[in-house]
Amino acid sequence: MYDIVIVGAGIIGTLMARELSRYRLKTALIDKESDVANETSMANSAIVHTGYDPEDGTLKALLNVKGAEMYPQLCRELGCRIKQTGAYIAACGEEEEAHLEILADRAERRGIEYAWLSNEEAHIQEPNLSDHVTKVLDFPTTCVIYPWEVAIAAAETAVKNGTELYLNHACTGIDRTETGYVVHTKDRDFDTKMIINCAGIFADELYAMVGTPDFEIRPRKGEYYVLDNTVHFVKHIVFPVPSAKGKGVLAVPTVYGNTLIGPNSDFSDPEITTTAEGLAYVRENITKTLKNIPLNMSIRTFAGLRPSGSRGDFIIEEAKDAPGFINIAGIESPGLASAPAIVEYAIDNLIRPRTALEINEDAVMTRERPVVMSELSEEERTEMIRKDPRYANIVCRCEQISEGEVVDCINRPCGARTVKGVKKRVRPGMGRCQGGFCEPKVLAILSRELGIPMTEVVLDAPDSHILIRENR
Amino acid sequence: MMKKYSAVVIGGGSAGLAAGITLKENGIEDVLVIEKDDMVGGILNQCIHNGFGLHTFKEQMSGPAYAERFKVRAEEVGLNIKLKTMVTHIHEDRTIEYVNPQEGYVTIQADAIILAVGCYERNRGALAIPGQRPAGVYTAGQAQRYLNIDGYQVGSRVFILGSGDIGLIMARRMMLEGAKVYGVAEIMPYSNGLPRNIKQCLEDYDIPLYLSHTVTNIYGKDRLERIEVSKVDEKLRPIKGTEMYFDVDTLLLSVGLIPENHLGDEAGIAMDPRIKGPSVDENYMCSIEGFFACGNGLHVHDLVDYVTLQAQRAAMGAVHYLKNGKPQEKECRVMPGKGVLYTVPNRIHPHNIDKTVEFFFRINEPVDEAVITVRCGERVLRQVKKKYLVPSVMERMMFTAKQLADIDGDITFEMEAVSHDE
Ligand SMILES: Cc1cc2nc3c(=O)[nH]c(=O)nc-3n(C[C@H](O)[C@H](O)[C@H](O)COP(=O)(O)OP(=O)(O)OC[C@H]3O[C@@H](n4cnc5c(N)ncnc54)[C@H](O)[C@@H]3O)c2cc1C
Ligand SMILES: Cc1cc2nc3c(=O)[nH]c(=O)nc-3n(C[C@H](O)[C@H](O)[C@H](O)COP(=O)(O)OP(=O)(O)OC[C@H]3O[C@@H](n4cnc5c(N)ncnc54)[C@H](O)[C@@H]3O)c2cc1C
């Protein structure tokens, strides 16, 4: 019997698992995907917004400000990269400048740092700002993270503290029992006292397995271009002035040096696919705030689905018709930025009142950062190679990643099981060749480390085979 | 102490081997070739088809067989090769950082550096093909490697996007392995492959070639299930209503090769945007003194013979530089004019030319007959008529030092189609 089953291992589910692993609880974290953070938490703008955007009185406003404050410490504890880039909100003309005043006013009242930049100052900082930009509001404490790096680190920490992680386990039904619920998956059932619904775009469907949902999730697509990391297009995140349609098309310098250009915002096609129309929208609208856009240096495109809830705000509450079933739903932007605060809020207000939370003295809440050769000094690298020469065998020439790093990311708790899993953890295939050179090598290492034939190694889902049979 | 070499060759493919051997043959003693793989030969190792060496050795051989000739010669001349060694950075002062499991990270100094780093394949990311992200989409070279080096079949129902040579060769290879190839789509109204490959790899196997078509959608959550192919208009935009669907589990992309210019770029070497590789002079010297470039890392070649030839010339350029230093005179640019895509070299020092200089160039669209004009300002240096020109075949033109001795400005290569309408 589990105390808690968390359904969904995105940023919310994994941070929840980590936080709960502080206590003496029997917890399972289950996800239908082959890896943690494989849906919305894998495909977004990666920004830790400071919290000036949500309207007064919303959970979004409350938890975004709080979450943003928690991130630097969280990333330190989990050994994750966070980069303070600052964010420029670029206004074109008087009407938009007036809107900046509203944002500045909110920032003032919420204690968020901001600064005004004249047209000239802003163009000196960001030479690629469009000539139409007339004024800029700067939020210098805005950061970017690698969302799945945080989720993976959180899951790893939870697993080390005893949380059971079940990937490739889709919840197919939930029944009530005398003591709580039983969560069904194809391979096994989970008897549990409580369920935390962190199922992202499927949160309403999951809730419908036990009750009558009083909200609906309407997936809203966003598509992006990724630029090669040799391109230095912007130093800050550059936003247009937000409108009713959302935050608009932005340019984001990511933690590892690639630039994201996107997203659009589209309710009409709730599939994780890129479309010619969506990308055309991005190409067109980025020119509102920026010029000289090097889309010819794009190395990839991707799409993500925002789990937009019908209530507009985050939904963090116990289901009215299902005691012990806790919904964390409608976690669209700024969901990532708010995530640590969402988890804290849910534990304090919904879980603690139902369950005694007894501290687990053995729990270790920190995770040491895995070795990244390119981040080490010469002496440290030499030492690493002396201990394990595989750290000198480079398998990815775009990102210069060694065999040692790949092996390590497979053999850790919550380790990589797929080619995409390796890519998410140590980045081979993220560069301009997109795996043309390194994929065969990564495949061979996965096969060796997992003790499975090459033909059993998959790209992502259990049926996503790369090689169909041996030839000789 | 930092170890010093007269010349270091980065990359041990056909270009690197030829360059290394030529350096040794011409009296440069301490030459080092650095190769990241566990064998030399580069891309040749996975090209098990025949079609190499017709010019150099006057016979048809496979890629590995061609490489073998150079391996044997490398041993004869005592060429020093470091395998499983990756060059991570190079610098303007000609220091080179490399790493391997035996030595760890090491920095060495060279008097001359020859870049022979090969190329990489354009992929789905760069093309931004819409749709899902299933397994089953490969670059043609990647599939070729899985098949010919690792010994695995990647799929059984195949479509190929792009009519580059690797794609054509893979079409035949997959058929021979028992897979069915449904077709090849090419966005241009003509093929980018060598005519002989169209004949031997497609026509002989009844594989349809869809010119002016491209892949416009990809379906499949886990493994590829289906693709959408559309006709394109003159501006290469898909035409609504022309969609065709193929239920395939494999899509191979043969949509272009790009010189691997990252090392050079980082060191500050100027690139020629037309070839995406370094801009070089008559001696294959890059914009930074003492650096030379050749092979697919300079510009993409379809024939290994020319790779070998240019690598030998780059090596001779390095020998010349090691003896005489860099040319002092002003350089003239060599520019592609109307109808021409690029020229290599793209600049020359007229008085530094030893006896001859050969220009390699490509034209930008197929023509039955054309006049190629090379001029310096108003002055016509040469005018020749040529038949059956295609962009996939590299053209060459030789000039003697004497012919270029008195030029005083930029040289342009132009192509004008001859029309036989009247
Ligand atoms: C285009 C875009 C841009 C964004 N930009 C930002 C930004 O810059 N800053 C920011 O703060 N936020 C941003 N967001 C929002 C942010 O990405 C989300 O709020 C956050 O990732 C949501 O995390 P999650 O864990 O709730 O959802 P997810 O990451 O989607 O996790 C849900 C998990 O539940 C699993 N699941 C679902 N159903 C089942 C089932 N039946 N059984 C088992 N498992 C199941 C799924 O597989 C999935 O792994 C953006 C979102 C999008 C789409
Ligand atoms: C698939 C294919 C089919 C072809 N078919 C034919 C044919 O039928 N007939 C024909 O005549 N020609 C053919 N060619 C053309 C010709 O064979 C090639 O263009 C030629 O072999 C390229 O040689 P290269 O040395 O420039 O590049 P490569 O062979 O790619 O060699 C580059 C080498 O550099 C190494 N390297 C790169 N970066 C580093 C680094 N940082 N540190 C250390 N080492 C590094 C690589 O590992 C590689 O071994 C074909 C080419 C291809 C790609």
Side-chain angles (χ1 to χ4, degrees):
Chain A
M1 165 74 90
Y2 290 91
D3 293 300
I4 297 178
V5 169
I6 303 166
V7 181
I11 189 75
I12 304 294
T14 53
L15 283 177
M16 177 60 83
R18 170 185 183 256
E19 206 45 45
L20 290 177
S21 77
R22 219 181 262 285
Y23 307 106
R24 292 191 186 284
L25 295 168
K26 188 168 162 63
T27 311
L29 172 62
I30 74 171
D31 202 292
K32 63 179 172 56
E33 292 288 308
S34 66
D35 196 0
V36 303
N38 227 22
E39 291 217 319
T40 306
S41 301
M42 174 74 197
N44 52 57
S45 303
I47 303 168
V48 181
H49 301 287
T50 50
Y52 56 83
D53 191 45
E55 306 222 355
D56 289 327
T58 57
L59 274 178
K60 282 183 180 172
L62 176 75
L63 299 175
N64 183 356
V65 175
K66 194 103 192 275
E69 283 166 11
M70 294 167 80
Y71 258 103
Q73 165 80 7
L74 179 69
C75 288
R76 255 196 312 280
E77 288 178 2
L78 291 179
C80 294
R81 293 264 289 252
I82 179 163
K83 186 166 92 180
Q84 184 170 337
T85 55
Y88 279 9
I89 321 291
C92 306
E94 277 172 27
E95 207 171 304
E96 291 193 351
E97 286 184 23
H99 194 90
L100 290 185
E101 300 286 350
I102 302 176
L103 302 184
D105 171 59
R106 281 188 202 146
E108 184 71 44
R109 284 184 287 112
R110 293 173 193 174
I112 299 164
E113 236 181 272
Y114 67 94
W116 291 103
L117 294 187
S118 73
N119 184 12
E120 294 74 34
E121 287 165 324
H123 277 88
I124 291 169
Q125 288 296 320
E126 291 292 353
N128 292 318
L129 270 185
S130 147
D131 301 332
H132 304 298
V133 171
T134 50
K135 196 171 187 182
V136 163
L137 180 55
D138 175 18
F139 292 103
T141 55
T142 308
C143 297
V144 288
I145 56 170
Y146 225 42
W148 56 91
E149 184 179 65
V150 178
I152 290 165
E156 184 180 327
T157 313
V159 168
K160 277 197 270 193
N161 290 337
T163 304
E164 297 172 24
L165 174 65
Y166 295 92
L167 296 171
N168 292 319
H169 277 66
C171 169
T172 50
I174 302 173
D175 285 318
R176 295 190 194 221
T177 63
E178 288 196 349
T179 44
Y181 300 93
V182 52
V183 174
H184 301 291
T185 70
K186 206 168 113 266
D187 297 319
R188 54 174 288 166
D189 293 339
F190 299 82
D191 249 311
T192 181
K193 294 178 196 153
M194 286 174 77
I195 294 173
I196 307 181
N197 174 5
C198 306
I201 55 169
F202 298 106
D204 51 351
E205 286 179 24
L206 194 81
Y207 181 14
M209 292 177 189
V210 286
T212 312
D214 46 3
F215 60 83
E216 197 193 325
I217 304 296
R218 289 189 301 149
R220 185 160 54 96
K221 179 146 71 185
E223 299 171 53
Y224 298 82
Y225 286 93
V226 184
L227 306 185
D228 190 31
N229 61 7
T230 54
V231 179
H232 304 289
F233 180 50
V234 287
K235 295 196 292 265
H236 305 77
I237 303 160
V238 176
F239 288 93
V241 172
S243 72
K245 283 193 75 181
K247 295 195 179 75
V249 177
L250 12 151
V252 186
T254 66
V255 172
Y256 287 91
N258 301 92
T259 305
L260 305 181
I261 305 281
N264 59 334
S265 173
D266 180 9
F267 278 115
S268 71
D269 174 26
E271 295 288 332
I272 306 182
T273 53
T274 50
T275 62
E277 300 77 24
L279 293 172
Y281 180 93
V282 169
R283 284 198 303 273
E284 219 165 276
N285 284 274
I286 188 66
T287 58
K288 180 158 189 268
T289 52
L290 290 157
K291 63 182 178 194
N292 311 324
I293 298 137
L295 283 176
N296 59 332
M297 295 299 283
S298 165
I299 58 168
R300 194 182 172 82
T301 56
F302 68 88
L305 294 175
R306 306 170 182 87
S308 295
S310 50
R311 296 197 210 154
D313 201 3
F314 294 155
I315 298 159
I316 310 170
E317 59 193 30
E318 185 164 335
K320 300 209 173 54
D321 51 358
F325 187 93
I326 288 163
N327 284 314
I328 304 186
I331 309 300
E332 62 181 337
S333 189
L336 191 63
S338 313
I342 290 174
V343 166
E344 190 185 71
Y345 176 92
I347 292 179
D348 288 347
N349 294 289
L350 306 171
I351 299 175
R352 205 180 290 282
R354 294 194 64 94
T355 332
L357 295 178
E358 204 184 308
I359 289 280
N360 172 9
E361 307 291 345
D362 299 329
V364 178
M365 299 307 289
T366 54
R367 180 196 77 143
E368 208 170 307
R369 182 167 178 73
V371 169
V372 180
M373 287 302 272
S374 62
E375 293 172 359
L376 300 187
S377 70
E378 216 175 306
E379 296 75 48
E380 291 168 322
R381 284 197 302 206
T382 307
E383 179 57 20
M384 244 0 260
I385 294 168
R386 206 184 47 74
K387 280 195 282 195
D388 185 349
R390 290 178 301 185
Y391 281 91
N393 181 21
I394 306 281
V395 295
C396 161
R397 78 170 175 197
C398 303
E399 306 272 329
Q400 305 202 340
I401 295 145
S402 68
E403 180 186 356
E405 288 157 84
V406 175
V407 169
D408 176 60
C409 92
I410 298 169
N411 293 331
R412 302 180 147 258
C414 185
R417 290 291 168 273
T418 62
V419 170
K420 185 172 164 190
V422 171
K423 176 172 163 181
K424 276 160 75 172
R425 286 165 181 78
V426 290
R427 295 178 50 78
M430 289 281 187
R432 82 200 75 89
C433 92
Q434 289 284 298
F437 281 101
C438 55
E439 190 192 274
K441 293 184 179 170
V442 168
L443 213 118
I445 298 173
L446 273 164
S447 154
R448 185 187 72 207
E449 296 297 317
L450 300 175
I452 56 173
M454 294 274 277
T455 46
E456 295 293 308
V457 178
V458 292
L459 176 66
D460 185 11
D463 287 326
S464 58
H465 296 278
I466 295 170
L467 306 176
I468 61 166
R469 63 158 197 275
E470 198 166 345
N471 241 2
R472 293 190 272 244
Chain B
M1 259 285 288
M2 207 190 292
K3 203 156 174 174
K4 284 188 127 178
Y5 293 88
S6 297
V8 172
V9 181
I10 304 175
S14 53
L17 284 177
I21 291 166
T22 302
L23 287 165
K24 291 289 276 189
E25 287 173 342
N26 285 277
I28 309 298
E29 278 308 318
D30 51 341
V31 179
L32 174 65
V33 176
I34 304 181
E35 167 57 49
K36 72 177 165 56
D37 272 339
D38 53 9
M39 54 181 167
V40 290
I43 202 77
L44 290 174
N45 292 314
Q46 65 182 60
C47 300
I48 61 170
H49 57 280
N50 266 332
F52 294 81
L54 208 51
H55 297 248
T56 315
F57 297 114
K58 305 281 175 269
E59 58 178 296
Q60 287 263 21
M61 51 179 101
S62 72
Y66 186 89
E68 191 56 34
R69 299 264 171 120
F70 286 84
K71 280 186 226 175
V72 169
R73 184 67 191 140
E75 266 173 44
E76 284 170 6
V77 299
L79 187 58
N80 180 9
I81 303 173
K82 265 189 206 297
L83 295 175
K84 288 181 93 165
T85 302
M86 172 91 171
V87 172
T88 54
H89 302 283
I90 56 178
H91 303 277
E92 203 182 340
D93 61 2
R94 293 192 297 278
T95 52
I96 298 170
E97 295 176 47
Y98 69 75
V99 57
N100 65 34
Q102 291 73 42
E103 302 166 89
Y105 280 83
V106 178
T107 305
I108 55 173
Q109 172 78 56
D111 292 330
I113 295 175
I114 299 189
L115 296 169
V117 289
C119 60
Y120 68 97
E121 296 178 278
R122 268 182 88 207
N123 49 60
R124 180 180 178 186
L127 295 181
I129 308 173
Q132 290 175 294
R133 299 286 183 278
V137 181
Y138 314 79
T139 56
Q142 195 181 7
Q144 188 181 46
R145 191 209 136 100
Y146 279 134
L147 201 54
N148 295 345
I149 298 203
D150 301 326
Y152 289 90
Q153 180 67 285
V154 295
S156 49
R157 288 171 291 122
V158 184
F159 197 88
I160 298 174
L161 174 60
S163 59
D165 288 306
I166 316 177
L168 300 178
I169 285 160
M170 281 305 287
R172 174 177 62 186
R173 185 83 176 88
M174 297 290 283
M175 288 292 265
L176 293 175
E177 287 298 330
K180 174 145 177 59
V181 180
Y182 286 79
V184 176
E186 166 60 56
I187 197 165
M188 301 303 285
Y190 51 86
S191 165
N192 275 312
L194 294 174
R196 70 161 195 228
N197 284 335
I198 303 269
K199 169 89 187 57
Q200 293 169 5
C201 301
L202 297 189
E203 288 169 10
D204 289 0
Y205 292 84
D206 290 326
I207 299 170
L209 171 60
Y210 300 97
L211 294 175
S212 297
H213 278 74
T214 192
V215 173
T216 41
N217 214 333
I218 288 178
Y219 307 91
K221 184 167 176 338
D222 298 345
R223 175 82 193 199
L224 179 66
E225 290 165 11
R226 163 174 255 222
I227 57 164
E228 180 188 84
V229 174
S230 305
K231 203 170 174 7
V232 298
D233 63 18
E234 322 78 64
K235 291 199 170 138
L236 309 183
R237 291 170 310 201
I239 305 170
K240 283 252 163 358
T242 62
E243 297 84 0
M244 295 188 280
Y245 296 89
F246 295 90
D247 292 331
V248 291
D249 63 10
T250 305
L251 176 64
L252 301 186
L253 307 175
S254 180
V255 289
L257 301 167
I258 304 169
E260 178 56 67
N261 60 27
H262 188 53
L263 281 178
D265 202 34
E266 201 188 49
I269 289 173
M271 297 294 154
D272 176 350
R274 299 178 196 95
I275 56 173
K276 299 196 171 67
S279 146
V280 293
D281 69 8
E282 65 286 347
N283 279 334
Y284 292 83
M285 184 144 101
C286 304
S287 65
I288 301 180
E289 156 174 13
F291 284 87
F292 299 80
C294 57
N296 284 348
L298 168 61
H299 66 134
V300 173
H301 294 256
D302 28 67
L303 284 183
V304 71
D305 307 86
Y306 294 161
V307 171
T308 304
L309 190 70
Q310 289 193 348
Q312 289 163 339
R313 289 185 184 154
M316 288 315 291
V319 171
H320 180 82
Y321 167 75
L322 289 171
K323 291 197 183 122
N324 307 315
K326 70 165 190 186
Q328 294 305 326
E329 71 181 292
K330 188 169 151 286
E331 64 189 26
C332 303
R333 289 183 298 175
V334 184
M335 321 244 277
K338 198 172 136 239
V340 175
L341 283 175
Y342 69 73
T343 67
V344 172
N346 75 349
R347 54 198 168 84
I348 54 165
H349 304 89
H351 297 109
N352 190 45
I353 296 167
D354 188 17
K355 290 192 187 70
T356 57
V357 58
E358 186 169 32
F359 294 97
F360 291 78
F361 61 97
R362 281 183 202 271
I363 55 140
N364 68 359
E365 61 176 345
V367 283
D368 285 341
E369 193 173 342
V371 175
I372 310 271
T373 310
V374 184
R375 61 171 90 236
C376 177
E378 292 300 293
R379 207 176 118 203
V380 173
L381 302 176
R382 185 169 306 163
Q383 194 157 51
V384 285
K385 230 180 204 172
K386 288 208 171 200
K387 281 200 158 160
Y388 308 118
L389 298 176
V390 284
S392 57
V393 175
M394 198 146 55
E395 298 295 326
R396 317 152 62 178
M397 208 179 268
M398 187 81 95
F399 283 85
T400 61
K402 219 165 106 204
Q403 286 167 331
L404 297 175
D406 57 349
I407 61 162
D408 48 6
D410 296 345
I411 298 173
T412 25
F413 278 67
E414 286 161 15
M415 188 251 331
E416 179 115 45
V418 179
S419 98
H420 295 281
D421 285 347
E422 61 272 59

